[in-house]
DNA sequence: AATATTATAAAACGATCGTTCGTTTTATTT
DNA sequence: AAATAAAACGAACGATCGTTTTATAATATT
């Protein structure tokens, strides 16, 4: 790996920390350069525009989510076990994504849900893919006979997502540790509500 | 009402529109002044600081939420009917809060959940109060014999909040109208899961 | 070791930020 | 109608924003 690629990754690591705290929009090249003991222009040259830096930061966050949450869940057995793993990993991700300011993507949604552009598009694509992957895991659980056949995968994914969002809210805004128990309880009931009983 | 109060309210109306689109932080006095055909300094004098303007904008949004969502629900009969009214009003609020950029408070949470200060405190207070009010409405429904006695009001409020958050997400980021149906289905099942059967 | 390429730096750009300062215009009250 | 207070203005402040230009230092390639 060349020197350029090396600093580029260091920049993106630092950018993720900053973006998690102040958002993708608030991410400033000046602050980022100071944090890295670099010049603004030297840093800037790596990306060519702020939007490119934001996009790369977002892309890196999406990739890390895939690695830490989705990837490990694929190691679990098809069906209910995998869904439980996915949920557990996701909740763990909320508590510690390795960043001080919480999930970059959830933060970016609030900023860019109504601002057209490349970042908006990347968010839509990412969350659509995520929701689709959840729905798919539901379908697999149905096929495996773990969930009832009349379970609506999209409805299930919607409710699961809601549990995650509420957990994130309570955990981040209120620092409420009960959120984790609430989440576990809610998901257990969501699962049992659609469970295929023998 | 004096002239000052009059323009002050016009400013806050315009500020709500801007803040809903670009966030409380992105709310700029220059843009706001331009939108109102005022001078920056003239506008600024009404509040004395940007943070004061942000706080007033937030406070106005909280008040409008109370008027449009919570207040009307109190007109419904105690218990389940009131909870349904609250939920319906809330979902309607997500679709049209009168602002082009969605709920200001939900947006502000993403910006200020980890930034200490007066805005953070106002958000914590507001959402705590909201959650407490939901829990209270659950307790009333239990007392009225509509919900089972072993229903945990906080758990219920958590799940209800999650449904709202997921609805907001799908509606705003994806513009997905199915979100409304998903929300209704989820809430109906949440209610029936805790329903006290005769 | 010499050369070509890449990476970083320094300085400056115009724009906008929140804020302050006098001053002037507009309302309100006497 | 005169006196007073409130409100809005225009200009400027220092700071920071993203970006561009020009130049130097470090790295890779031959």
């Amino acid at each position: 790996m060349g020197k350029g690629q090396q600093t580029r990754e260091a920049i993106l690591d630092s950018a993720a920390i900053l973006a998690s705290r102040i958002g993708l929009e608030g991410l400033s090249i000046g602050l980022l350069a100071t944090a890295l003991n670099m010049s603004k222009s030297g840093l800037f040259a790596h990306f060519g525009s702020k939007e490119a830096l934001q996009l790369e930061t977002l892309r890196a966050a999406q990739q890390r989510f895939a690695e830490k949450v989705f990837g490990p869940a694929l190691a679990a057995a098809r069906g209910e076990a995998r869904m439980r793993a996915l949920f557990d990993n996701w909740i763990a991700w909320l508590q510690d994504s390795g960043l001080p300011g919480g999930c970059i993507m959830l933060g970016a949604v609030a900023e860019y849900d109504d601002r057209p552009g490349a970042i908006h598009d990347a968010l839509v694509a990412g969350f659509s893919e995520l929701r689709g992957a959840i729905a798919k895991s539901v379908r697999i659980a149905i096929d495996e006979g773990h969930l009832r056949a009349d379970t609506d995968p999209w409805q299930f994914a919607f409710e699961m997502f809601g549990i995650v969002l509420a957990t994130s809210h309570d955990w981040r805004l209120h620092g409420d540790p009960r959120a984790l128990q609430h989440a576990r309880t809610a998901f257990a009931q969501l699962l049992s509500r659609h469970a295929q009983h023998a």
Side-chain angles (χ1 to χ4, degrees), chain A:
Chain A
M1 177 170 55
K3 180 80 195 308
Q5 203 67 18
Q6 188 173 325
T7 30
R8 193 188 163 87
E9 291 189 8
I11 292 172
L12 286 177
D13 282 349
S14 205
I17 295 175
L18 228 76
S20 80
R21 275 214 279 245
I22 52 181
L24 271 183
E25 187 65 19
L27 210 178
S28 111
I29 295 176
L31 284 179
L32 195 52
T34 300
L36 286 158
N37 276 102
M38 282 186 70
S39 66
K40 270 172 54 173
S41 52
L43 192 155
F44 184 87
H46 281 270
F47 303 95
S49 75
K50 179 179 180 179
E51 192 184 37
L53 167 64
Q54 293 172 311
L55 273 172
E56 297 262 13
T57 303
L58 178 59
R59 196 192 49 78
Q62 289 174 326
Q63 183 177 334
R64 187 145 55 181
F65 178 85
E67 287 169 2
K68 289 213 174 186
V69 176
F70 235 96
L74 291 180
R78 288 165 55 91
E80 186 184 324
R82 184 172 293 171
M83 302 196 59
R84 287 187 187 277
L86 175 57
F87 183 78
D88 290 345
N89 293 346
W90 204 349
I91 297 298
W93 164 270
L94 289 184
Q95 293 175 75
D96 180 25
S97 60
L99 303 175
C103 179
I104 290 180
M105 288 153 289
L106 287 182
V109 166
E111 296 183 287
Y112 292 96
D113 61 356
D114 58 351
R115 269 194 275 181
I119 297 178
H120 171 90
D121 296 345
L123 286 171
V124 170
F127 278 100
S128 293
E129 185 187 345
L130 169 60
R131 201 67 74 82
I134 298 174
K136 180 181 176 185
S137 80
V138 173
R139 268 182 243 112
I140 291 177
I142 294 173
D143 289 345
E144 294 290 321
H146 300 157
L147 296 184
R148 290 215 315 270
D150 64 347
T151 300
D152 179 350
W154 296 105
Q155 178 72 31
F156 191 105
F158 174 89
E159 295 189 30
M160 181 171 169
F161 192 64
I163 296 169
V164 169
L165 288 180
T167 308
S168 175
H169 175 96
D170 284 13
W171 178 258
R172 291 205 47 75
L173 180 63
H174 304 288
D176 189 351
R178 290 173 301 175
L180 307 178
Q181 186 54 47
H182 284 153
R184 280 189 285 265
T185 300
F187 186 65
Q189 295 197 331
L190 175 61
L191 266 183
S192 81
R193 178 147 49 91
H194 294 94
Q196 175 76 276
H197 296 109

